[in-house]
Every structure is written in C-alpha cells, then in structure tokens.
Amino acid sequence: MNRTEFIVATAIILFIAFMLGWFAYWLLHKLARINAGDINDLDRMARELHEAEESREEAVTYMQQREAELTNQLAQTEAELRAAMDGLREARREAEELRGYIERVNQEG
C-alpha cells in the first residue's frame, strides 16, 4: 500500500466515523426530544401534585385539631362522670345513714 492509498483509506475511515457519529447524534436527539405536549403534561401533573399535597396538609391539620377537640371533650366527660359517681356514692352513703337512723328510731320508739 503506497502513501496515496493510505491517505485515501484513512480519509474514507474518518469520513465513515464522522457519518456514524453524526447519525448517532441525530438518532439520540430524535429519540430524546421532548415535545411541548409532554412539557405541558409534566407541568399539569406537577400542579396537581402540589394541590394534592396542600389538600393532604389541610386534612392532616384538620384531623389534628379535631383529635385535640375530641380529646378535650372526652377528658371533660370523664371528669363529669367522676363527679357524678362521687355524688352518687355520697347520696348512697347518706341514704344508708338515714336508713340506719330510721331503724334505730323505730326500734327505740
């Protein structure tokens, strides 16, 4: 192979490598191209996700407030129940004392 043939072969190999690189670049950009519709869909999904997260946060806050209210109401109800039970015990004790007194008075009289 003489010098001219070597230069031509090298030029052909470099041209083929250039063409393969250009084709790979074109193919990559053709496949990876994002069109406006895809971007609009991504924007819409991002907005919907943001709205869903806000709704979730509002629901969590509402549930925490409601739980606190119900816990407070339960504590008040339990306190009222204890007070009522104490009053009932006291009334029963007084009723027993009165029965005892009435029985003693009836036995003496």
Side-chain angles (χ1 to χ4, degrees), residues 66-82:
R66 188 68 179 138
E67 182 181 11
E69 290 172 6
L70 290 174
T71 301
N72 186 27
Q73 188 177 13
L74 178 63
Q76 289 176 353
T77 303
E78 287 174 346
E80 291 172 1
L81 177 61
R82 280 192 298 276

Side-chain angles (χ1 to χ4, degrees), residues 22-34:
W22 179 83
F23 179 72
Y25 172 81
W26 175 80
L27 185 63
L28 180 65
H29 283 280
K30 186 73 170 175
L31 294 175
R33 186 178 356 159
I34 299 174

